[in-house]
Amino acid sequence: MTFVTKLSFASGDRDVLAETVQELKSTLERKGAECKGPHATPAETVRVPLYKQLRAGDEFSPWSYDVYKRSMEIHGADDIAREVVGRDFPDSIHVEVEVDQKKPLGHRRD
């Protein structure tokens, strides 16, 4: 059975995100892992209301910032995927990992 490791990255710092994901892709290619991505999605603008007191009422202008996202998939290469998932990423990057198990075509379930 083959495993597909899906990595999702999100950050407010586009430069750090792009550099980190590109470095990761280069590492995967150098080690011979099959990698798809990185895939970018449009930036999402997040708006945070700011109140002058601890309760709703008088407000300052909302604080807004952009969140940039990238995603990648590692096919097979379980040992390399495990190494990648265990590495330390910059604090400004949120990382989510999902592992799917793929069965080869033509195999039947008993």
Side-chain angles (χ1 to χ4, degrees):
M1 287 189 213
T2 303
F3 290 92
V4 177
T5 305
K6 298 178 182 180
L7 302 167
S8 300
F9 304 92
S11 179
D13 190 335
R14 179 180 16 197
D15 295 335
V16 169
L17 179 63
E19 180 181 321
T20 301
V21 171
Q22 189 55 48
E23 177 186 312
L24 180 59
K25 176 147 179 103
S26 296
T27 300
L28 290 167
E29 288 174 344
R30 190 173 58 249
K31 292 187 176 209
E34 181 185 344
C35 174
K36 294 188 179 178
H39 305 290
T41 57
E44 174 185 337
T45 300
V46 177
R47 296 193 194 304
V48 180
L50 299 174
Y51 299 102
K52 293 182 179 181
Q53 297 182 359
L54 293 177
R55 56 183 162 70
D58 288 339
E59 294 183 23
F60 292 108
S61 297
W63 175 49
S64 65
Y65 61 97
D66 292 327
V67 176
Y68 305 94
K69 297 181 181 181
R70 304 286 185 275
S71 62
M72 299 175 74
E73 291 182 359
I74 303 169
H75 293 259
D78 304 339
D79 53 334
I80 297 171
R82 195 174 358 241
E83 179 185 318
V84 165
V85 170
R87 74 173 19 183
D88 288 328
F89 290 97
D91 290 338
S92 63
I93 298 178
H94 175 77
V95 181
E96 291 184 11
V97 179
E98 181 182 333
V99 179
D100 286 339
Q101 187 176 8
K102 302 290 183 184
K103 294 186 181 202
L105 293 175
H107 286 251
R108 54 174 233 214
R109 299 176 87 181
D110 292 331

